[in-house]
Amino acid sequence: PEKELRKEIVRPVQTESLLIGYRIPSIYSKDSDELSVLSLALFSMSSSRAHVRLVREKQMALSVRGDTVQEQFPFLFIVSIEMKKGIRAKVAEEELDLLIEDLKKTAITQQELDRVKNRIIFNTINETKSAAGFANWLASGAYYWDDPNYVFKLLDLYHRVTPDDLLRIAKKYLRKENRVVVVMKPEPKAYAYQ
């Protein structure tokens, strides 16, 4: 049975941080492409929903990041939030939960999705400008799918993603019982010399 796992750690840091990992299937899953697009739409752009809400509007976080770490085995959809000084990670977690619940009720707009698709194209062009970047793309295709040209097929798969696909994926994977939550807190202040 799935259940949420939680851990608090104390480290010599200035502010609290929140790290959430949602369990996702391997890179070979039919949901893999949609998960990648969803992470960009929610977390990986300055116009993403989480960045706009937590950094710009609520001004509770210094940064919000998200990424799908996809491998040949099941792994994690990772969300990382660095809080502003004096703001608890719990507040950001509650706000993130609201944002995700909103997403499960109303799909992202086609305009949001188009921005994400443009970002994917832009990133791909930038990554493949150099011989090393292009070789990395071909090597990834050969390694994961035994097809060096798979990366070109992947761009087509990303292009086919719809807002309804992302709604389905959010409902399926972005659930509390499907996540691991780690809160990093600063060490208690040491006594000052008197």
Side-chain angles (χ1 to χ4, degrees), residues 76-127:
L76 296 172
F77 181 121
I78 297 176
V79 179
S80 171
I81 303 172
E82 183 181 353
M83 304 308 300
K84 282 191 169 180
K85 193 167 186 157
I87 306 221
R88 302 252 180 234
K90 179 180 168 66
V91 176
E93 183 179 351
E94 290 168 357
E95 197 63 41
L96 181 64
D97 289 343
L98 289 172
L99 184 142
I100 289 172
E101 288 309 310
D102 290 346
L103 174 69
K104 291 177 185 178
K105 295 174 189 162
T106 308
I108 71 166
T109 65
Q110 186 62 50
Q111 182 181 14
E112 285 176 283
L113 183 55
D114 289 343
R115 275 197 309 266
V116 170
K117 289 177 180 180
N118 288 337
R119 177 67 175 260
I120 291 169
I121 292 168
F122 176 80
N123 288 349
T124 302
I125 290 169
N126 274 344
E127 288 174 22

Short mmCIF file of all heavy atoms in Angstrom, two decimals, residues 76-127:
data_model
loop_
_atom_site.label_atom_id
_atom_site.label_comp_id
_atom_site.label_asym_id
_atom_site.label_seq_id
_atom_site.Cartn_x
_atom_site.Cartn_y
_atom_site.Cartn_z
N LEU A 76 11.67 9.39 -9.31
CA LEU A 76 10.92 10.45 -8.66
C LEU A 76 10.68 11.67 -9.55
O LEU A 76 11.53 12.03 -10.36
CB LEU A 76 11.66 10.94 -7.40
CG LEU A 76 11.84 9.94 -6.28
CD1 LEU A 76 12.75 10.51 -5.21
CD2 LEU A 76 10.51 9.55 -5.68
N PHE A 77 9.55 12.29 -9.33
CA PHE A 77 9.20 13.62 -9.83
C PHE A 77 9.54 14.52 -8.65
O PHE A 77 8.85 14.48 -7.62
CB PHE A 77 7.71 13.63 -10.14
CG PHE A 77 7.14 14.91 -10.69
CD1 PHE A 77 6.52 14.90 -11.93
CD2 PHE A 77 7.17 16.10 -9.98
CE1 PHE A 77 5.93 16.05 -12.44
CE2 PHE A 77 6.60 17.25 -10.49
CZ PHE A 77 5.99 17.23 -11.73
N ILE A 78 10.60 15.29 -8.75
CA ILE A 78 11.14 16.01 -7.59
C ILE A 78 10.76 17.49 -7.63
O ILE A 78 10.90 18.15 -8.65
CB ILE A 78 12.67 15.87 -7.53
CG1 ILE A 78 13.03 14.40 -7.32
CG2 ILE A 78 13.26 16.74 -6.42
CD1 ILE A 78 14.49 14.11 -7.33
N VAL A 79 10.29 17.98 -6.49
CA VAL A 79 9.97 19.40 -6.30
C VAL A 79 10.85 19.92 -5.17
O VAL A 79 10.91 19.31 -4.10
CB VAL A 79 8.48 19.59 -5.94
CG1 VAL A 79 8.18 21.07 -5.73
CG2 VAL A 79 7.58 18.99 -6.99
N SER A 80 11.51 21.04 -5.42
CA SER A 80 12.41 21.63 -4.42
C SER A 80 12.03 23.09 -4.23
O SER A 80 11.92 23.84 -5.20
CB SER A 80 13.85 21.51 -4.92
OG SER A 80 14.72 22.24 -4.11
N ILE A 81 11.83 23.48 -2.96
CA ILE A 81 11.46 24.86 -2.65
C ILE A 81 12.39 25.37 -1.56
O ILE A 81 12.48 24.78 -0.49
CB ILE A 81 9.99 24.96 -2.18
CG1 ILE A 81 9.05 24.38 -3.25
CG2 ILE A 81 9.64 26.41 -1.86
CD1 ILE A 81 7.61 24.27 -2.80
N GLU A 82 13.07 26.47 -1.84
CA GLU A 82 13.92 27.12 -0.85
C GLU A 82 13.14 28.32 -0.31
O GLU A 82 12.75 29.22 -1.06
CB GLU A 82 15.23 27.59 -1.47
CG GLU A 82 16.17 28.19 -0.47
CD GLU A 82 17.48 28.66 -1.09
OE1 GLU A 82 17.72 28.41 -2.27
OE2 GLU A 82 18.24 29.31 -0.35
N MET A 83 12.92 28.31 0.99
CA MET A 83 12.08 29.33 1.63
C MET A 83 12.84 30.63 1.87
O MET A 83 14.07 30.62 2.00
CB MET A 83 11.57 28.80 2.98
CG MET A 83 10.83 27.48 2.90
SD MET A 83 9.51 27.46 1.69
CE MET A 83 8.48 28.77 2.30
N LYS A 84 12.09 31.72 1.96
CA LYS A 84 12.68 32.98 2.41
C LYS A 84 12.94 32.86 3.92
O LYS A 84 12.26 32.09 4.61
CB LYS A 84 11.73 34.14 2.15
CG LYS A 84 11.73 34.59 0.71
CD LYS A 84 10.99 35.90 0.56
CE LYS A 84 11.22 36.47 -0.82
NZ LYS A 84 10.50 37.74 -1.00
N LYS A 85 13.88 33.62 4.40
CA LYS A 85 14.24 33.57 5.81
C LYS A 85 13.03 33.87 6.69
O LYS A 85 12.28 34.81 6.44
CB LYS A 85 15.37 34.56 6.09
CG LYS A 85 16.01 34.34 7.43
CD LYS A 85 17.30 35.09 7.57
CE LYS A 85 17.93 34.68 8.88
NZ LYS A 85 19.35 34.89 8.90
N GLY A 86 12.83 33.03 7.70
CA GLY A 86 11.75 33.21 8.64
C GLY A 86 10.43 32.58 8.23
O GLY A 86 9.47 32.60 8.99
N ILE A 87 10.37 32.00 7.04
CA ILE A 87 9.13 31.38 6.57
C ILE A 87 9.30 29.85 6.65
O ILE A 87 10.30 29.31 6.22
CB ILE A 87 8.80 31.81 5.14
CG1 ILE A 87 8.78 33.32 5.08
CG2 ILE A 87 7.54 31.14 4.65
CD1 ILE A 87 7.73 33.99 4.31
N ARG A 88 8.33 29.22 7.23
CA ARG A 88 8.36 27.77 7.42
C ARG A 88 8.02 27.03 6.12
O ARG A 88 7.14 27.45 5.37
CB ARG A 88 7.38 27.36 8.50
CG ARG A 88 7.64 28.02 9.82
CD ARG A 88 8.18 27.01 10.79
NE ARG A 88 8.43 27.64 12.07
CZ ARG A 88 9.60 27.56 12.67
NH1 ARG A 88 10.58 26.91 12.12
NH2 ARG A 88 9.77 28.12 13.84
N ALA A 89 8.67 25.91 5.93
CA ALA A 89 8.42 25.06 4.76
C ALA A 89 6.98 24.55 4.75
O ALA A 89 6.40 24.32 3.68
CB ALA A 89 9.41 23.90 4.74
N LYS A 90 6.41 24.38 5.93
CA LYS A 90 5.03 23.89 6.03
C LYS A 90 4.06 24.80 5.27
O LYS A 90 3.11 24.33 4.65
CB LYS A 90 4.64 23.79 7.50
CG LYS A 90 3.23 23.32 7.75
CD LYS A 90 2.96 23.25 9.25
CE LYS A 90 1.57 23.07 9.63
NZ LYS A 90 0.76 22.07 9.44
N VAL A 91 4.31 26.09 5.30
CA VAL A 91 3.45 27.06 4.61
C VAL A 91 3.52 26.83 3.10
O VAL A 91 2.50 26.83 2.41
CB VAL A 91 3.87 28.50 4.98
CG1 VAL A 91 3.06 29.53 4.21
CG2 VAL A 91 3.74 28.73 6.47
N ALA A 92 4.72 26.62 2.58
CA ALA A 92 4.88 26.37 1.15
C ALA A 92 4.27 25.03 0.77
O ALA A 92 3.67 24.90 -0.31
CB ALA A 92 6.35 26.40 0.78
N GLU A 93 4.41 24.04 1.64
CA GLU A 93 3.82 22.73 1.35
C GLU A 93 2.30 22.84 1.24
O GLU A 93 1.69 22.27 0.32
CB GLU A 93 4.19 21.72 2.43
CG GLU A 93 3.68 20.33 2.17
CD GLU A 93 4.07 19.33 3.24
OE1 GLU A 93 4.89 19.65 4.13
OE2 GLU A 93 3.53 18.21 3.19
N GLU A 94 1.69 23.58 2.15
CA GLU A 94 0.23 23.77 2.10
C GLU A 94 -0.18 24.49 0.81
O GLU A 94 -1.15 24.13 0.16
CB GLU A 94 -0.24 24.56 3.33
CG GLU A 94 -0.14 23.76 4.61
CD GLU A 94 -0.32 24.60 5.87
OE1 GLU A 94 -0.46 25.85 5.76
OE2 GLU A 94 -0.31 24.01 6.96
N GLU A 95 0.58 25.51 0.43
CA GLU A 95 0.28 26.27 -0.79
C GLU A 95 0.49 25.40 -2.04
O GLU A 95 -0.31 25.45 -2.98
CB GLU A 95 1.17 27.51 -0.85
CG GLU A 95 0.69 28.57 -1.80
CD GLU A 95 -0.66 29.15 -1.43
OE1 GLU A 95 -0.94 29.40 -0.24
OE2 GLU A 95 -1.46 29.38 -2.37
N LEU A 96 1.53 24.59 -2.02
CA LEU A 96 1.78 23.67 -3.14
C LEU A 96 0.66 22.65 -3.26
O LEU A 96 0.20 22.34 -4.36
CB LEU A 96 3.13 22.97 -2.95
CG LEU A 96 3.53 22.00 -4.05
CD1 LEU A 96 3.73 22.73 -5.37
CD2 LEU A 96 4.80 21.26 -3.66
N ASP A 97 0.20 22.13 -2.13
CA ASP A 97 -0.91 21.18 -2.15
C ASP A 97 -2.16 21.81 -2.77
O ASP A 97 -2.87 21.18 -3.56
CB ASP A 97 -1.22 20.67 -0.75
CG ASP A 97 -0.15 19.72 -0.21
OD1 ASP A 97 0.65 19.21 -1.01
OD2 ASP A 97 -0.13 19.50 1.02
N LEU A 98 -2.43 23.07 -2.43
CA LEU A 98 -3.58 23.78 -3.01
C LEU A 98 -3.40 23.95 -4.52
O LEU A 98 -4.34 23.74 -5.29
CB LEU A 98 -3.75 25.16 -2.36
CG LEU A 98 -4.25 25.18 -0.92
CD1 LEU A 98 -4.19 26.60 -0.36
CD2 LEU A 98 -5.67 24.64 -0.84
N LEU A 99 -2.19 24.31 -4.92
CA LEU A 99 -1.91 24.50 -6.35
C LEU A 99 -2.14 23.20 -7.12
O LEU A 99 -2.75 23.19 -8.19
CB LEU A 99 -0.46 24.98 -6.51
CG LEU A 99 -0.01 25.31 -7.91
CD1 LEU A 99 0.91 26.53 -7.86
CD2 LEU A 99 0.73 24.16 -8.53
N ILE A 100 -1.67 22.09 -6.57
CA ILE A 100 -1.83 20.79 -7.24
C ILE A 100 -3.30 20.38 -7.27
O ILE A 100 -3.78 19.86 -8.28
CB ILE A 100 -0.93 19.73 -6.56
CG1 ILE A 100 0.53 20.03 -6.90
CG2 ILE A 100 -1.32 18.32 -7.01
CD1 ILE A 100 1.54 19.20 -6.16
N GLU A 101 -4.02 20.63 -6.18
CA GLU A 101 -5.46 20.30 -6.18
C GLU A 101 -6.21 21.14 -7.21
O GLU A 101 -7.11 20.64 -7.88
CB GLU A 101 -6.05 20.47 -4.78
CG GLU A 101 -5.60 19.39 -3.80
CD GLU A 101 -5.79 17.97 -4.33
OE1 GLU A 101 -6.89 17.64 -4.80
OE2 GLU A 101 -4.82 17.19 -4.27
N ASP A 102 -5.82 22.41 -7.35
CA ASP A 102 -6.43 23.26 -8.39
C ASP A 102 -6.16 22.68 -9.78
O ASP A 102 -7.04 22.65 -10.63
CB ASP A 102 -5.87 24.68 -8.35
CG ASP A 102 -6.32 25.48 -7.14
OD1 ASP A 102 -7.28 25.04 -6.46
OD2 ASP A 102 -5.72 26.54 -6.87
N LEU A 103 -4.93 22.22 -9.99
CA LEU A 103 -4.55 21.64 -11.28
C LEU A 103 -5.36 20.39 -11.59
O LEU A 103 -5.71 20.13 -12.75
CB LEU A 103 -3.05 21.30 -11.29
CG LEU A 103 -2.55 20.56 -12.53
CD1 LEU A 103 -2.60 21.48 -13.74
CD2 LEU A 103 -1.15 20.04 -12.31
N LYS A 104 -5.69 19.62 -10.56
CA LYS A 104 -6.46 18.38 -10.76
C LYS A 104 -7.92 18.67 -11.12
O LYS A 104 -8.60 17.81 -11.65
CB LYS A 104 -6.39 17.51 -9.51
CG LYS A 104 -5.03 16.92 -9.25
CD LYS A 104 -5.07 16.14 -7.95
CE LYS A 104 -3.72 15.62 -7.57
NZ LYS A 104 -3.78 14.90 -6.28
N LYS A 105 -8.37 19.88 -10.83
CA LYS A 105 -9.75 20.26 -11.15
C LYS A 105 -9.85 20.97 -12.49
O LYS A 105 -10.83 20.84 -13.20
CB LYS A 105 -10.31 21.17 -10.05
CG LYS A 105 -10.46 20.49 -8.71
CD LYS A 105 -10.86 21.50 -7.66
CE LYS A 105 -10.79 20.85 -6.29
NZ LYS A 105 -10.77 21.82 -5.21
N THR A 106 -8.83 21.75 -12.81
CA THR A 106 -8.84 22.54 -14.04
C THR A 106 -7.50 22.36 -14.75
O THR A 106 -6.45 22.71 -14.19
CB THR A 106 -9.02 24.05 -13.72
OG1 THR A 106 -10.17 24.20 -12.89
CG2 THR A 106 -9.20 24.85 -14.98
N ALA A 107 -7.55 21.84 -15.94
CA ALA A 107 -6.32 21.58 -16.71
C ALA A 107 -5.59 22.89 -16.99
O ALA A 107 -6.19 23.97 -17.01
CB ALA A 107 -6.67 20.89 -18.02
N ILE A 108 -4.28 22.79 -17.22
CA ILE A 108 -3.54 23.98 -17.63
C ILE A 108 -4.11 24.44 -18.97
O ILE A 108 -4.69 23.66 -19.72
CB ILE A 108 -2.02 23.73 -17.70
CG1 ILE A 108 -1.66 22.84 -18.87
CG2 ILE A 108 -1.47 23.20 -16.42
CD1 ILE A 108 -0.18 22.85 -19.17
N THR A 109 -3.91 25.70 -19.26
CA THR A 109 -4.46 26.24 -20.50
C THR A 109 -3.58 25.84 -21.69
O THR A 109 -2.41 25.48 -21.51
CB THR A 109 -4.52 27.78 -20.44
OG1 THR A 109 -3.18 28.29 -20.35
CG2 THR A 109 -5.35 28.25 -19.25
N GLN A 110 -4.16 25.94 -22.86
CA GLN A 110 -3.38 25.66 -24.06
C GLN A 110 -2.23 26.65 -24.19
O GLN A 110 -1.15 26.30 -24.63
CB GLN A 110 -4.28 25.71 -25.31
CG GLN A 110 -3.57 25.27 -26.58
CD GLN A 110 -3.08 23.83 -26.53
OE1 GLN A 110 -3.82 22.92 -26.19
NE2 GLN A 110 -1.81 23.62 -26.87
N GLN A 111 -2.47 27.90 -23.76
CA GLN A 111 -1.41 28.92 -23.81
C GLN A 111 -0.23 28.52 -22.91
O GLN A 111 0.93 28.65 -23.32
CB GLN A 111 -1.98 30.27 -23.38
CG GLN A 111 -0.97 31.40 -23.46
CD GLN A 111 -1.54 32.72 -23.00
OE1 GLN A 111 -2.61 32.78 -22.39
NE2 GLN A 111 -0.84 33.80 -23.27
N GLU A 112 -0.51 28.04 -21.70
CA GLU A 112 0.56 27.57 -20.81
C GLU A 112 1.31 26.41 -21.46
O GLU A 112 2.54 26.36 -21.42
CB GLU A 112 -0.01 27.08 -19.48
CG GLU A 112 -0.45 28.16 -18.53
CD GLU A 112 -1.08 27.57 -17.29
OE1 GLU A 112 -2.25 27.12 -17.35
OE2 GLU A 112 -0.40 27.53 -16.24
N LEU A 113 0.57 25.48 -22.03
CA LEU A 113 1.19 24.31 -22.66
C LEU A 113 2.04 24.73 -23.86
O LEU A 113 3.13 24.20 -24.06
CB LEU A 113 0.12 23.30 -23.07
CG LEU A 113 0.63 22.00 -23.68
CD1 LEU A 113 1.64 21.31 -22.77
CD2 LEU A 113 -0.55 21.08 -23.98
N ASP A 114 1.57 25.69 -24.63
CA ASP A 114 2.35 26.17 -25.78
C ASP A 114 3.67 26.79 -25.33
O ASP A 114 4.71 26.60 -25.97
CB ASP A 114 1.55 27.17 -26.61
CG ASP A 114 0.41 26.52 -27.38
OD1 ASP A 114 0.42 25.28 -27.54
OD2 ASP A 114 -0.51 27.26 -27.80
N ARG A 115 3.65 27.52 -24.20
CA ARG A 115 4.89 28.09 -23.66
C ARG A 115 5.88 26.98 -23.30
O ARG A 115 7.08 27.08 -23.55
CB ARG A 115 4.61 28.95 -22.42
CG ARG A 115 4.21 30.36 -22.72
CD ARG A 115 4.33 31.28 -21.51
NE ARG A 115 3.69 30.80 -20.32
CZ ARG A 115 2.45 31.12 -19.94
NH1 ARG A 115 1.73 31.94 -20.68
NH2 ARG A 115 1.94 30.66 -18.82
N VAL A 116 5.36 25.92 -22.70
CA VAL A 116 6.21 24.79 -22.31
C VAL A 116 6.80 24.12 -23.56
O VAL A 116 8.00 23.81 -23.60
CB VAL A 116 5.42 23.78 -21.46
CG1 VAL A 116 6.22 22.51 -21.24
CG2 VAL A 116 5.03 24.40 -20.13
N LYS A 117 5.98 23.90 -24.55
CA LYS A 117 6.46 23.25 -25.78
C LYS A 117 7.52 24.12 -26.46
O LYS A 117 8.52 23.60 -26.96
CB LYS A 117 5.29 22.98 -26.72
CG LYS A 117 4.39 21.86 -26.22
CD LYS A 117 3.21 21.64 -27.14
CE LYS A 117 2.31 20.52 -26.64
NZ LYS A 117 1.17 20.30 -27.52
N ASN A 118 7.33 25.43 -26.45
CA ASN A 118 8.34 26.33 -27.01
C ASN A 118 9.63 26.24 -26.22
O ASN A 118 10.73 26.28 -26.79
CB ASN A 118 7.83 27.78 -27.04
CG ASN A 118 6.77 27.99 -28.09
OD1 ASN A 118 6.68 27.25 -29.07
ND2 ASN A 118 5.94 29.01 -27.90
N ARG A 119 9.52 26.11 -24.91
CA ARG A 119 10.71 25.98 -24.06
C ARG A 119 11.46 24.68 -24.38
O ARG A 119 12.69 24.65 -24.42
CB ARG A 119 10.29 26.01 -22.59
CG ARG A 119 11.40 25.81 -21.60
CD ARG A 119 12.39 26.98 -21.64
NE ARG A 119 13.38 26.87 -20.63
CZ ARG A 119 13.36 27.52 -19.49
NH1 ARG A 119 12.38 28.34 -19.20
NH2 ARG A 119 14.33 27.36 -18.63
N ILE A 120 10.71 23.60 -24.60
CA ILE A 120 11.34 22.32 -24.95
C ILE A 120 12.11 22.45 -26.26
O ILE A 120 13.25 21.99 -26.38
CB ILE A 120 10.28 21.20 -25.02
CG1 ILE A 120 9.75 20.89 -23.62
CG2 ILE A 120 10.86 19.95 -25.68
CD1 ILE A 120 8.54 19.99 -23.59
N ILE A 121 11.50 23.09 -27.24
CA ILE A 121 12.16 23.29 -28.54
C ILE A 121 13.41 24.15 -28.35
O ILE A 121 14.49 23.82 -28.86
CB ILE A 121 11.20 23.91 -29.56
CG1 ILE A 121 10.10 22.91 -29.92
CG2 ILE A 121 11.94 24.37 -30.81
CD1 ILE A 121 8.93 23.50 -30.68
N PHE A 122 13.29 25.24 -27.60
CA PHE A 122 14.41 26.14 -27.34
C PHE A 122 15.55 25.38 -26.65
O PHE A 122 16.72 25.49 -27.06
CB PHE A 122 13.95 27.31 -26.48
CG PHE A 122 15.05 28.25 -26.07
CD1 PHE A 122 15.53 29.20 -26.94
CD2 PHE A 122 15.60 28.17 -24.80
CE1 PHE A 122 16.54 30.07 -26.57
CE2 PHE A 122 16.62 29.02 -24.41
CZ PHE A 122 17.10 29.97 -25.30
N ASN A 123 15.23 24.62 -25.60
CA ASN A 123 16.25 23.86 -24.88
C ASN A 123 16.93 22.84 -25.79
O ASN A 123 18.14 22.65 -25.73
CB ASN A 123 15.65 23.15 -23.67
CG ASN A 123 15.30 24.09 -22.55
OD1 ASN A 123 15.68 25.25 -22.55
ND2 ASN A 123 14.55 23.60 -21.58
N THR A 124 16.14 22.19 -26.62
CA THR A 124 16.69 21.19 -27.53
C THR A 124 17.66 21.82 -28.51
O THR A 124 18.76 21.30 -28.74
CB THR A 124 15.56 20.47 -28.29
OG1 THR A 124 14.67 19.89 -27.35
CG2 THR A 124 16.11 19.39 -29.20
N ILE A 125 17.27 22.94 -29.08
CA ILE A 125 18.15 23.63 -30.03
C ILE A 125 19.44 24.05 -29.33
O ILE A 125 20.54 23.84 -29.86
CB ILE A 125 17.44 24.85 -30.65
CG1 ILE A 125 16.33 24.36 -31.59
CG2 ILE A 125 18.43 25.75 -31.39
CD1 ILE A 125 15.40 25.45 -32.06
N ASN A 126 19.33 24.61 -28.12
CA ASN A 126 20.53 25.04 -27.40
C ASN A 126 21.43 23.86 -27.04
O ASN A 126 22.65 23.95 -27.13
CB ASN A 126 20.15 25.79 -26.13
CG ASN A 126 19.93 27.26 -26.39
OD1 ASN A 126 20.34 27.78 -27.43
ND2 ASN A 126 19.28 27.92 -25.47
N GLU A 127 20.82 22.75 -26.63
CA GLU A 127 21.62 21.58 -26.25
C GLU A 127 22.33 20.96 -27.44
O GLU A 127 23.40 20.38 -27.29
CB GLU A 127 20.74 20.53 -25.58
CG GLU A 127 20.28 20.92 -24.19
CD GLU A 127 19.29 19.94 -23.60
OE1 GLU A 127 19.26 18.77 -24.04
OE2 GLU A 127 18.54 20.34 -22.70
#
